[in-house]
């Protein structure tokens, strides 16, 4: 079990390059990868994302990669012909306008197309091998961080589930009292209907009894609640068998919340209403933790 929050950073020299790689992982419903890397190495961005996707399915990942050259490489190309053309054009402008200025190197460097930086395909491949090595190390650090947080989340979730089971037991203990409450209401309604025996509507009487009996019965809701809790615990115990445990548990939380809502709507017993509210509060706390699971 892993959380979605994590952090890792490594600086390492490999060959002729120094790599500084940092990953921050935050909560997100889907997988979002934001990569910060020099435009010079932009051809590697897709490879970086594909590598990261092997390890992360959810979360917002902010990846920063800084690469420095440890020796001088022939990656800077100066277009001398273009520089001369700019120089002559500027001198002509000075002469035509009778200016006192001279053309300087600083003036020429303002034209960005004179100096160009380029890296050949072989160099890009070499740099990728270095990025891949360092990136894998940082990913391992992030995963370790997430797993440690996942252990803590598991403890919290099991604690909340135990409290939730206690709530379900207490509701079951009060369920018989709710049936008695409805039975009294049925008797009252029946007495009202038969107070004038000559005008009694037997169909209406039968429908009233059936409807009230259905409202008093929360056995199906209780069975589903217990089933959801068992399923939730099963996911926690067999976490290694599921790659999307966070999404699965979030769905179970929605179902449990729905059952507590139904029980509360049927209840005419204050204890059951209060217990349903307590159950919903616990489910919300569980869901807050679940939404941080990978």
């Amino acid at each position: 079990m892993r959380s979605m929050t994590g952090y890792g950073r490594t600086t390492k020299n490999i060959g002729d390059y120094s790599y500084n790689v940092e990953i921050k992982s935050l909560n997100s419903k889907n997988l979002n990868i934001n990569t910060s890397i020099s435009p010079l190495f932009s051809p590697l961005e897709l490879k970086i994302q594909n590598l990261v996707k092997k390890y992360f399915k959810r979360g917002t990942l902010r990846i920063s990669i800084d690469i420095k050259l440890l020796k001088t490489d022939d990656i800077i190309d100066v277009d001398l012909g273009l520089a001369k053309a700019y120089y002559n054009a500027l001198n002509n402008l000075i002469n035509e306008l009778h200016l006192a200025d001279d053309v300087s190197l600083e003036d020429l460097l303002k034209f960005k197309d004179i100096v160009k930086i380029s890296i050949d395909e072989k160099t890009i491949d070499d740099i990728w091998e270095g990025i891949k090595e360092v990136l894998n190390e940082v990913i391992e650090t992030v995963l370790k961080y997430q797993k440690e947080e996942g252990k803590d989340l598991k403890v919290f979730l099991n604690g909340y589930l135990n409290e939730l089971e206690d709530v379900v037991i207490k509701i079951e203990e009060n369920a018989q009292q709710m049936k008695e409450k409805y039975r009294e209401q049925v008797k009252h309604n029946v007495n009202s209907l038969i107070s004038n025996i000559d005008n009694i509507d037997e169909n209406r009487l039968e429908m009233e009894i059936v409807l009230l009996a259905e409202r008093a019965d929360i056995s199906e809701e209780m069975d589903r609640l217990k089933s959801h809790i068992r399923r939730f615990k099963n996911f926690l115990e067999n976490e290694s068998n599921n790659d999307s445990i966070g999404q699965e548990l979030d769905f179970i939380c929605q179902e449990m919340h729905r059952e507590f809502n139904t029980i509360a709507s049927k209840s005419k017993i204050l204890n059951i209403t209060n217990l349903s509210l307590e159950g919903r509060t616990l489910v919300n706390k569980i869901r807050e933790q679940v939404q941080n699971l990978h």
Side-chain angles (χ1 to χ4, degrees):
M1 181 178 290
R2 291 157 45 196
S3 74
M4 276 191 284
T5 55
Y7 178 79
R9 182 172 180 267
T10 296
T11 298
K12 191 172 185 179
N13 294 345
I14 301 175
D16 298 329
Y17 307 96
S18 174
Y19 303 88
N20 186 307
V21 178
E22 180 183 70
I23 296 179
K24 295 178 182 178
S25 176
L26 303 171
N27 290 0
S28 179
K29 186 175 182 180
N30 301 308
L31 178 62
N32 303 301
I33 303 174
N34 302 317
T35 307
S36 174
I37 190 170
S38 168
L40 188 62
F41 309 110
S42 59
L44 298 175
E45 192 166 348
L46 185 59
K47 288 186 176 182
I48 293 168
Q49 293 191 1
N50 287 337
L51 176 59
V52 170
K53 286 177 181 177
K54 294 180 180 179
Y55 299 93
F56 302 93
K57 304 301 180 186
R58 300 175 71 197
T60 293
L61 298 175
R62 296 174 182 171
I63 304 172
S64 174
I65 299 177
D66 183 40
I67 304 168
K68 291 184 173 64
L69 308 180
L70 296 180
K71 73 172 188 178
T72 304
D73 283 337
D74 297 328
I75 63 171
I76 299 178
D77 181 39
V78 178
D79 192 331
L80 292 176
L82 186 60
K84 290 176 181 178
Y86 277 127
Y87 180 81
N88 292 333
L90 291 174
N91 271 322
N92 288 336
L93 184 62
I94 289 171
N95 293 331
E96 288 292 330
L97 299 179
H98 305 291
L99 302 175
D101 296 331
D102 292 325
V103 179
S104 67
L105 178 61
E106 183 180 356
D107 295 326
L108 293 175
L109 290 177
K110 291 177 181 178
F111 299 98
K112 303 301 181 182
D113 48 353
I114 291 177
V115 179
K116 299 176 182 177
I117 302 175
S118 61
I119 298 180
D120 58 38
E121 190 172 336
K122 181 183 180 305
T123 303
I124 285 289
D125 289 340
D126 290 342
I127 290 173
W128 166 242
E129 291 302 315
I131 290 178
K132 187 164 60 174
E133 180 178 331
V134 180
L135 189 58
N136 276 318
E137 289 183 13
V138 177
I139 287 173
E140 285 301 317
T141 302
V142 174
L143 293 177
K144 183 178 179 181
Y145 189 110
Q146 291 182 337
K147 288 174 183 176
E148 289 299 318
E149 280 208 345
K151 291 179 182 178
D152 293 336
L153 285 173
K154 187 174 181 178
V155 172
F156 283 122
L157 289 172
N158 275 317
Y160 285 138
L161 285 173
N162 290 336
E163 291 183 49
L164 201 59
E165 284 182 318
D166 290 340
V167 169
V168 171
I169 291 171
K170 290 176 182 177
I171 291 176
E172 284 187 316
E173 290 172 351
N174 284 270
Q176 185 60 39
Q177 184 183 353
M178 190 168 78
K179 288 182 180 180
E180 292 298 330
K181 183 77 173 179
Y182 272 105
R183 187 175 289 112
E184 290 176 9
Q185 185 175 344
V186 169
K187 288 180 181 178
H188 173 75
N189 291 349
V190 167
N191 289 332
S192 298
L193 285 168
I194 65 174
S195 59
N196 189 347
I197 193 68
D198 294 331
N199 297 322
I200 188 170
D201 185 337
E202 293 185 3
N203 290 331
R204 183 183 172 192
L205 176 60
E206 184 176 350
M207 184 180 296
E208 185 78 13
I209 294 172
V210 170
L211 287 175
L212 288 173
E214 287 179 354
R215 290 176 188 173
D217 186 8
I218 59 171
S219 57
E220 289 187 8
E221 287 78 12
M222 300 304 297
D223 288 341
R224 284 194 292 266
L225 264 177
K226 288 185 281 189
S227 175
H228 293 323
I229 294 173
R230 285 196 301 269
R231 188 180 175 205
F232 199 110
K233 285 192 169 184
N234 186 57
F235 270 111
L236 294 184
E237 292 168 3
N238 301 282
E239 57 191 60
S240 60
N241 297 329
N242 195 289
D243 293 330
S244 57
I245 187 170
Q247 292 174 322
E248 294 285 354
L249 295 182
D250 187 58
F251 175 75
I252 295 175
C253 285
Q254 294 178 47
E255 294 300 306
M256 290 193 293
H257 200 278
R258 184 179 293 112
E259 300 302 339
F260 277 118
N261 278 339
T262 304
I263 291 170
S265 67
K266 287 185 174 184
S267 173
K268 287 189 178 295
I269 302 298
L270 183 59
N271 282 349
I272 291 181
T273 303
N274 290 338
L275 287 166
S276 298
L277 178 60
E278 185 179 344
R280 281 179 291 182
T281 301
L282 283 169
V283 171
N284 287 336
K285 289 181 179 179
I286 291 172
R287 196 173 185 190
E288 286 177 7
Q289 300 296 330
V290 162
Q291 288 176 343
N292 190 33
L293 286 175
H294 191 267

